Every structure is written in C-alpha cells, then in structure tokens.
Amino acid sequence: TQLLEQSPQFLSIQEGENLTVYCNSSSVFSSLQWYRQEPGEGPVLLVTVVTGGEVKKLKRLTFQFGDARKDSSLHITAAQPGDTGLYLCAGAEYQGGSEKLVFGKGMKLTVNP
Amino acid sequence: ETGVTQTPRHLVMGMTNKKSLKCEQHLGHNAMYWYKQSAKKPLELMFVYSLEERVENNSVPSRFSPECPNSSHLFLHLHTLQPEDSALYLCASSQGRGTGELFFGEGSRLTVL
C-alpha cells in the first residue's frame, strides 16, 4: 500500500493569511478526496477530484489534482479562525481487483484571530 | 436524525471488560466501515461491510469483533483490549463500495486502562 504524504504537518497562521497544503504519492489515484476534521468530530468531506489537472473551488478553498493524478494541493485564501482543523487527503486506488482508500496523516491548521 | 451517529462518544474500559460501539447511518448507504484514528498516524481501515456482508478485514486482532445486522447498523464488539487500543474509532458509510466519498460519524473516543 502506498502512502500519501501531506505537508506541512502543522501550520499556525494569523487570520487573513493565505496557505497551501500538499498531498503527494507515487501512486496513481482514480480519485482523491479532501476532508476537514474539527476537534471532537469526525472528518467531513470537502471535495472529490477525479480528472488530472482538475481545479475545484469551494468559497475560499481551491483544490487541484495533479496532471498525473498522483498529487493534489489545497489553497486557502484569507484564512479565518473557522478554518481551524485537521485537513486530510485520501486517494482511491485499485489494489487486488478492488478499490481501496489511502489516507494521509493530515495537516493540523490553526488560524489565530 | 440525519447522517451517521455513533454511541457512546466516550468510553473508558479496563483490559478485562467487554463493551460495544454502535453506529447507525440514516443516509440509505449500502457500505459501512470502521476506522481507527491514532495520533500521528493515518486513518487505519479496520473492517468494511457491503450489503451487510463483511468484505474486508485488515488484519485486525480478534479482540475486535464487528457485527452488521442490517445495512443501517454496525457494531464493534470489544473484549480484552490493550492500552495501545486507545484511540478514536470512526464509523463511516458510503453509497457503494470503492468510492472515496465517505460520510463519517463523530467517533467514539476509547480509553483502555
């Protein structure tokens, strides 16, 4: 099973700053998801990207899938305290004839007012 | 209620106790999952049920025993656990297996003394 490497692992920024989170692997994924998990809660799906080079926007969040479908990035513009949480990427890959989901360790974001 | 609900939210048990975690999904999905979330580790898939049939068991110790009586309910029976089993246990559901689009519950925080 291939690993998904997320960087940075931790980030503490001030309100209003921009940031980018990266998710990298040597595997090709059929799709890739981004989740956000707030303290004491389960992960919540933010977006799914499927096509190489695809860009999706969700308000101040911009998600991009790499052309080779091996990596992805999440860019947050003008971060707000409500963006605080653990950001997880997950890639779906075929293994042994079935599709499996591989999670990264996550990036813990703290946005200070 | 909507979504995926888990009970209890917090559980403290001794190594000789027997307890169960419960998960219920109200989304009409046909696949359900148990994940283990430990600090500084990626989410670990434990079990997958599709149409009430267990389709995946990722080398989980026998002290964890899943049960899926119908497509809406999933249990994780716990007995003679070890302190290293302390973690957040997350239940998730999806419409069809193999999709990366999971809907998670809020988790059950387990502490084994």
Side-chain angles (χ1 to χ4, degrees):
Chain A
T1 301
Q2 296 295 325
L3 296 176
L4 267 174
E5 300 289 340
Q6 287 191 241
S7 61
Q9 294 185 33
F10 301 93
L11 192 59
S12 180
I13 60 173
Q14 293 301 119
E15 183 175 0
E17 291 186 40
N18 301 330
L19 68 127
T20 302
V21 185
Y22 298 94
C23 178
N24 296 292
S25 176
S26 57
S27 293
V28 176
F29 297 110
S30 56
S31 68
L32 190 141
Q33 287 74 34
W34 284 93
Y35 292 82
R36 179 170 65 213
Q37 184 176 18
E38 299 184 15
E41 305 291 330
V44 175
L45 179 66
L46 296 175
V47 78
T48 296
V49 286
V50 178
T51 306
E54 182 176 4
V55 176
K56 282 192 173 179
K57 291 191 175 184
L58 184 65
K59 296 184 181 178
R60 295 174 292 100
L61 278 59
T62 301
F63 305 86
Q64 183 161 10
F65 202 10
D67 291 340
R69 306 204 322 272
K70 294 182 178 181
D71 53 83
S72 181
S73 64
L74 158 60
H75 182 79
I76 302 179
T77 304
Q80 298 179 2
D83 295 327
T84 292
L86 180 69
Y87 288 80
L88 297 163
C89 65
E93 59 175 349
Y94 280 101
Q95 281 185 18
S98 64
E99 195 166 61
K100 298 189 184 295
L101 198 61
V102 177
F103 277 88
K105 291 183 182 181
M107 190 280 290
K108 187 173 182 181
L109 173 66
T110 303
V111 182
N112 302 298
Chain B
E1 275 191 84
T2 58
V4 180
T5 56
Q6 290 186 242
T7 55
R9 293 291 309 277
H10 300 272
L11 179 62
V12 179
M13 59 188 288
M15 293 168 62
T16 57
N17 290 159
K18 289 184 180 181
K19 297 286 184 183
S20 295
L21 306 181
K22 179 184 175 182
C23 176
E24 184 174 0
Q25 60 99 358
H26 309 271
L27 301 167
H29 289 164
N30 54 27
M32 295 187 77
Y33 310 75
W34 279 116
Y35 278 89
K36 177 182 179 182
Q37 187 174 36
S38 306
K40 300 180 182 179
K41 285 186 178 181
L43 280 173
E44 299 174 61
L45 178 63
M46 299 176 72
F47 301 103
V48 181
Y49 277 83
S50 178
L51 297 172
E52 303 156 42
E53 179 183 344
R54 190 191 309 181
V55 295
E56 193 161 339
N57 175 349
N58 277 354
S59 302
V60 179
S62 60
R63 57 185 183 268
F64 294 91
S65 175
E67 179 189 1
C68 186
N70 55 62
S71 60
S72 298
H73 293 86
L74 187 64
F75 295 89
L76 188 62
H77 304 299
L78 318 168
H79 61 99
T80 59
L81 294 191
Q82 305 297 312
E84 59 264 30
D85 296 322
S86 298
L88 182 68
Y89 288 85
L90 291 162
C91 173
S93 70
S94 67
Q95 184 53 47
R97 199 183 153 223
T99 171
E101 297 187 342
L102 301 178
F103 290 79
F104 285 90
E106 294 173 318
S108 294
R109 172 68 62 185
L110 173 66
T111 302
V112 182
L113 302 177

